[in-house]
Amino acid sequence: MSKNISAVKKNQISLRNKYRNKSYKSAIKTLTKKYMLSLDNVLSVNQSDDHLLQLSAIYKKIDKAVSKGVLHKNNGSRKKSILAKAMKNFISQDISTI
């Protein structure tokens, strides 16, 4: 490791950003997994409001990560698209079973 002050500081900043970025990504992955599992486990349309609230919370996290530069804009859009598609499939399954 360099003893140059600017190199030391740059290393500290990169470590700080790495941990911050990891927490954003981890939160998004955790919320996404919980959301997908809740869609698989529930078979009634009555809880679709709860699913919409979960979906909006995940969207908020993804948008925040994109605005902070943790995720690329297209990556965030792709994640949101996958979630919306899962929600659409969930709703169409419920309607077809009724």
Side-chain angles (χ1 to χ4, degrees), residues 11-86:
N11 187 38
Q12 290 172 343
I13 291 170
S14 71
L15 288 175
R16 179 197 68 197
N17 292 342
K18 175 183 166 185
Y19 294 129
R20 184 180 300 149
N21 292 349
K22 189 171 184 171
S23 71
Y24 273 106
K25 289 181 182 181
S26 175
I28 290 170
K29 286 179 188 177
T30 302
L31 287 173
T32 302
K33 287 177 187 176
K34 285 183 180 179
Y35 177 71
M36 293 296 198
L37 285 175
S38 71
L39 286 180
D40 291 339
N41 292 338
V42 177
L43 297 175
S44 66
V45 181
N46 298 336
Q47 293 186 344
S48 63
D49 293 335
D50 188 38
H51 293 302
L52 288 174
L53 289 175
Q54 284 181 330
L55 187 63
S56 66
I58 299 171
Y59 274 17
K60 186 176 178 181
K61 280 281 189 191
I62 291 172
D63 290 337
K64 187 79 164 182
V66 168
S67 70
K68 294 286 186 181
V70 176
L71 295 177
H72 190 271
K73 182 174 71 169
N74 293 348
N75 192 337
S77 295
R78 189 170 60 245
K79 288 180 185 298
K80 293 192 318 189
S81 172
I82 290 168
L83 294 169
K85 188 176 179 182

